[in-house]
């Protein structure tokens, strides 16, 4: 939607509200609902939000130990400047449009803002002559209870919208079309190019895929996708979750990141080449080096792929989630799966869970791959067979605490993102672990009560 189109729809009464939002550290939209006429009057100057938003936990409680914002500094404002390229009508809300903003300090991006991190990595790629293409495949579970009912039930004994595994199963999937068809329709009509939905490997689990694009646009799509599905669920008095592992007995939910590089000068896929890959498959040196960087630096950037305590419950052998660091051709047991051919050749990073913030996940993948190309990092030998049962392969980090420690000590992360970013997100991870360690869980009650 253009600004001129918005003006026309405001005058006609078709749009009354404009949401101005920016993604927080969890990938959620934080923002304000503006009267549409007021937005038109003030859009050039943007809006101001309290800077504590980048230092709260997921329950919106301010956490201590952050340099960016704290009680000592008084929790002032940061400046959100709307990116008018993201302006769109939200068809699932009444007479409402939305615009995503960047957090700015004068002419500079505020470094710790998730969208800023991705802007900076995209700019680094461009300085090397590359434009990235990416997409996030996210999975989710649908439940029959509303969010409020689920909360009041303590999230126990929720009824999934399904009663057997529905992976690719058209009959079972048709029973959820009242939700998924609405999601596809509303996203498409709100400017998010949907490819498909399908049943997944858990009872009540689904996947919705968005068409690939440049990383910033695709991360915007991912955030809109989550917002749309949660709000649709609220309207239908049901619930949906993007937790990485909502139930210990079922498959976790992933956010597979697909990425390739295009030569800005020629438009050609940089990953295509004549170097042998496997059999008659070929690739470029840059492809190998990109994968090499992704594999080498994955442990050090794990907090961007797996940001919660729950994230690490997903990495179980035989569960469709990777447990070891290997790359392989069209092999779903590997952490990095080579897919496509020709102009479609790309790497699928299967490490991230659905709780991943796409802005941060894309930033980590792109930074790692670019470093791989810069340093000509060769990946390990292309793996063939069952990665789960392989011996001697490095494991993914086993906990958020381990990931935070690796991130904090990483020279690569500090070079790629800056000391302030590393310290900020390491602190988030440390506080999440500290809060979890203070909690008494149901598992403990069941195990130790008597």
């Amino acid at each position: 939607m253009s600004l001129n189109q918005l003006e026309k729809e405001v005058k006609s009464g078709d749009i009354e509200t404009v949401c101005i939002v920016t993604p927080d550290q969890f990938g959620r939209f934080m923002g304000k609902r503006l009267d549409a006429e007021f937005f038109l009057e003030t859009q050039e100057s943007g809006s101001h939000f309290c800077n504590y938003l980048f230092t709260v936990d997921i329950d919106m409680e301010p956490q201590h130990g952050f340099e960016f914002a704290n009680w000592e500094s008084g929790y002032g404002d940061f400046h959100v400047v709307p990116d008018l390229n993201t302006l769109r009508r939200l068809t699932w809300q009444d007479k409402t449009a939305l615009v995503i903003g960047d957090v700015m300090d004068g002419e500079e991006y505020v470094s710790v803002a998730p969208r800023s991190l991705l802007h900076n990595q995209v700019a680094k790629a461009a300085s090397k002559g590359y434009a990235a293409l990416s997409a996030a495949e996210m999975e989710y579970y649908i439940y029959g209870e509303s969010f409020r009912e689920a909360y009041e039930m303590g999230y126990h004994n929720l009824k999934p919208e399904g009663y057997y595994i529905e992976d690719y199963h058209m009959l079972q999937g048709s029973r959820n079309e009242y939700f998924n068809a609405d999601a596809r329709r509303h996203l498409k009509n709100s400017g998010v190019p949907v490819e498909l939905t399908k049943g997944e490997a858990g009872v009540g689990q689904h996947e919705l895929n968005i068409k690939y694009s440049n990383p910033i646009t695709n991360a915007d799509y991912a955030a809109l996708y989550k917002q749309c599905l949660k709000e649709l669920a609220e309207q239908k008095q049901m619930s949906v979750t993007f937790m990485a592992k909502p139930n210990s007995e079922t498959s976790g939910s992933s956010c597979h990141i697909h990425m390739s590089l295009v030569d800005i000068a020629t438009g050609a896929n940089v990953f295509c080449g004549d170097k042998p890959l496997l059999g008659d498959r070929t690739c470029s040196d840059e492809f190998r080096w990109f994968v090499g960087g992704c594999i080498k630096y994955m442990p050090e950037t794990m907090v961007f792929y797996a940001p919660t305590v729950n994230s690490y419950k997903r990495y179980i052998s035989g569960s469709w989630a990777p447990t070891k660091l290997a790359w392989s051709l069209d092999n779903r047991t590997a952490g990095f799966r080579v897919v496509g051919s020709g102009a479609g050749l790309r790497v699928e990073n299967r490490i991230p869970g659905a709780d991943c913030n796409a802005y941060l996940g894309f930033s980590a993948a792109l930074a790692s791959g670019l470093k791989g190309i810069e340093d000509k990092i060769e990946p390990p030998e292309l793996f063939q067979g069952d990665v789960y049962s392989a011996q001697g392969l490095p494991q993914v980090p086993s906990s958020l605490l381990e990931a935070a420690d690796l991130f904090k000590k990483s020279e690569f992360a500090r070079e790629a993102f800056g000391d302030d970013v590393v310290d900020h997100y390491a602190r988030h991870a440390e506080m999440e672990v500290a809060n979890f360690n203070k909690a008494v869980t149901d598992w403990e009650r069941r195990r130790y009560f008597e």
Side-chain angles (χ1 to χ4, degrees):
M1 172 184 282
S2 68
L3 201 59
N4 286 339
Q5 185 179 355
L6 176 64
E7 289 175 348
K8 292 177 182 177
E9 297 203 27
V10 171
K11 287 180 181 178
S12 69
D14 291 331
I15 296 289
E16 296 178 350
T17 302
V18 177
C19 300
I20 179 170
V21 302
T22 198
D24 73 355
Q25 56 274 16
F26 304 105
R28 305 174 300 183
F29 281 148
M30 298 289 117
K32 302 176 180 179
R33 288 180 170 85
L34 276 59
D35 176 85
E37 292 182 354
F38 180 71
F39 172 79
L40 290 171
E41 293 169 6
T42 62
Q43 55 85 17
E44 290 187 2
S45 58
S47 188
H48 290 82
F49 301 177
C50 180
N51 64 11
Y52 97 123
L53 289 172
F54 288 154
T55 66
V56 297
D57 66 11
I58 206 158
D59 288 329
M60 302 300 293
E61 292 288 346
Q63 303 295 294
H64 63 84
F66 290 95
E67 186 70 26
F68 175 73
N70 47 60
W71 290 113
E72 289 74 19
S73 65
Y75 286 120
D77 281 349
F78 56 57
H79 186 205
V80 178
V81 178
D83 178 351
L84 294 179
N85 291 318
T86 70
L87 183 63
R88 70 196 64 237
R89 183 170 188 152
L90 300 183
T91 64
W92 66 89
Q93 289 192 13
D94 185 40
K95 298 185 176 182
T96 298
L98 177 142
V99 66
I100 301 170
D102 287 306
V103 182
M104 305 295 292
D105 181 8
E107 298 298 315
E108 302 292 326
Y109 294 116
V110 170
S111 61
V112 301
R115 208 166 187 260
S116 298
L117 265 73
L118 190 49
H119 273 299
N120 290 335
Q121 295 308 315
V122 168
K124 286 181 183 179
S127 72
K128 300 174 185 295
Y130 304 133
L133 294 175
S134 57
E137 292 182 359
M138 287 186 289
E139 296 165 346
Y140 51 93
Y141 277 88
I142 308 172
Y143 296 98
E145 293 83 7
S146 69
F147 284 115
R148 183 59 178 266
E149 288 168 339
Y151 170 78
E152 292 175 348
M153 294 167 63
Y155 304 101
H156 289 303
N157 301 316
L158 301 183
K159 183 179 179 181
E161 287 293 278
Y163 51 93
Y164 54 81
I165 292 174
E166 55 197 272
D167 200 10
Y168 293 93
H169 200 293
M170 296 304 286
L171 174 60
Q172 180 65 12
S174 70
R175 297 179 176 123
N176 301 120
E177 274 294 272
Y178 69 96
F179 180 81
N180 288 328
D182 273 2
R184 295 193 306 271
R185 183 180 307 113
H186 281 298
L187 285 168
K188 179 179 179 179
N189 292 339
S190 300
V192 178
V194 174
E195 290 184 338
L196 58 92
T197 56
K198 62 174 286 292
E200 269 296 336
V203 177
Q205 188 184 36
H206 297 263
E207 176 179 291
L208 187 151
N209 290 347
I210 304 295
K211 185 177 174 62
Y212 68 87
S213 62
N214 72 73
I216 295 168
T217 297
N218 214 269
D220 290 342
Y221 290 161
L224 284 159
Y225 162 4
K226 286 184 175 180
Q227 188 78 13
C228 174
L229 266 64
K230 290 177 182 179
E231 292 185 3
L232 281 180
E234 180 71 21
Q235 292 169 13
K236 295 175 182 291
Q237 290 296 292
M238 51 195 298
S239 55
V240 61
T241 184
F242 293 91
M243 278 184 70
K245 190 75 170 177
N247 190 313
S248 60
E249 305 302 319
T250 59
S251 296
S253 291
S254 66
C255 173
H256 298 154
I257 291 176
H258 291 247
M259 190 166 284
S260 63
L261 296 179
V262 171
D263 186 307
I264 292 175
T266 66
N269 184 346
V270 174
F271 291 169
C272 293
D274 58 3
K275 301 299 170 63
L277 183 61
L278 183 67
D280 61 354
R281 300 289 293 275
T282 61
C283 66
S284 65
D285 287 331
E286 288 82 1
F287 180 61
R288 289 197 328 277
W289 298 333
F290 188 93
V291 174
C294 287
I295 294 175
K296 178 176 180 178
Y297 295 117
M298 191 286 295
E300 297 173 35
T301 55
M302 188 71 171
V303 292
F304 283 173
Y305 297 135
T308 72
V309 171
N310 178 259
S311 303
Y312 298 81
K313 307 291 177 70
R314 175 174 156 262
Y315 303 114
I316 297 174
S317 182
S319 70
W320 301 105
T323 58
K324 299 173 183 176
L325 300 183
W327 67 310
S328 190
L329 184 62
D330 194 16
N331 183 343
R332 286 180 169 86
T333 70
F336 296 88
R337 175 179 171 231
V338 178
V339 291
S341 60
L345 180 63
R346 61 196 185 277
V347 60
E348 177 190 55
N349 181 344
R350 297 176 62 82
I351 304 292
D355 55 354
C356 171
N357 177 341
Y359 298 95
L360 302 182
F362 288 166
S363 295
L366 185 54
S368 300
L370 290 174
K371 183 64 170 174
I373 293 175
E374 179 182 333
D375 292 348
K376 299 182 178 180
I377 297 172
E378 289 291 346
E381 184 179 351
L382 190 73
F383 191 90
Q384 297 182 65
D386 179 8
V387 176
Y388 289 129
S389 62
Q391 302 298 311
L393 293 176
Q395 303 275 337
V396 300
S398 61
S399 71
L400 183 58
L401 184 61
E402 179 187 351
D405 188 57
L406 289 168
F407 187 60
K408 199 170 185 177
K409 295 175 179 177
S410 171
E411 293 181 6
F412 160 70
R414 292 185 179 277
E415 175 189 335
F417 308 119
D419 288 337
D420 54 346
V421 170
V422 171
D423 292 340
H424 185 87
Y425 284 94
R427 184 60 181 166
H428 265 299
E430 291 167 350
M431 291 304 299
E432 188 73 0
V433 171
N435 288 331
F436 176 74
N437 286 342
K438 291 186 291 186
V440 178
T441 66
D442 291 342
W443 184 90
E444 292 169 284
R445 292 191 188 95
R446 287 193 302 269
R447 197 166 184 90
Y448 304 125
F449 189 87
E450 292 186 18

